[in-house]
Amino acid sequence: MTVTPAHVRELFKGLENGDGAAFFAHVADDVDWTVMGSHPLAGHYCSKSDFIAGTFAKLGQVLPEGAQLHLEHLIVTGDQAAVELHSLATANNGMRFDNRYCWIVFFEAERIVRVRAYLDSAMVTKLFEENPVTVCQP
């Protein structure tokens, strides 16, 4: 089944409304998600749980209201979508985190199975330099 722009917009409403669970319900457990760049969130994640732990959980520690991602532009072709997003967020220290993103999203049976995510690496690095994440050691 071909993915439609309306379907993709509906999926991303969860992120726009602060309901990450609604969005991630449409992401495969074994998603292949690569966050490009050289910053604290960058990496290749081979599961939904690893991606959430490596990105959204870290952001949740420094952005009290979350990343507040909003879909700005969308191109859909076949089972792929290019999704441009922006965040409107404020960090614990008051720093504005108004980042821009482009996610190349691949679908199978209307579920997200692979993502390549691009963002402002320098802004992410500055965010975590000014708002360190606490890591508990066992």
Side-chain angles (χ1 to χ4, degrees), residues 8-92:
V8 176
R9 286 187 187 283
E10 188 63 31
L11 294 182
F12 276 83
K13 278 186 182 177
L15 293 178
E16 290 181 343
N17 298 326
D19 185 1
F23 171 79
F24 283 108
H26 300 280
V27 175
D29 289 338
D30 62 348
V31 68
D32 181 342
W33 200 309
T34 303
V35 179
M36 305 301 205
S38 53
H39 53 83
L41 305 178
H44 181 213
Y45 303 95
C46 297
S47 72
K48 177 171 36 179
S49 61
D50 285 348
F51 172 73
I52 292 170
T55 60
F56 277 71
K58 287 180 183 177
L59 286 169
Q61 292 183 48
V62 298
L63 302 174
E65 301 297 321
Q68 301 175 30
L69 294 171
H70 299 273
L71 192 149
E72 192 164 300
H73 296 103
L74 173 66
I75 300 170
V76 176
T77 180
D79 289 338
Q80 301 175 22
V83 183
E84 185 179 7
L85 305 154
H86 68 271
S87 64
L88 300 172
T90 303
N92 292 334

Side-chain angles (χ1 to χ4, degrees), residues 89-102:
T90 303
N92 292 334
N93 71 339
M95 173 190 164
R96 290 297 303 161
F97 187 72
D98 297 342
N99 209 332
R100 299 238 173 227
Y101 309 81
C102 182

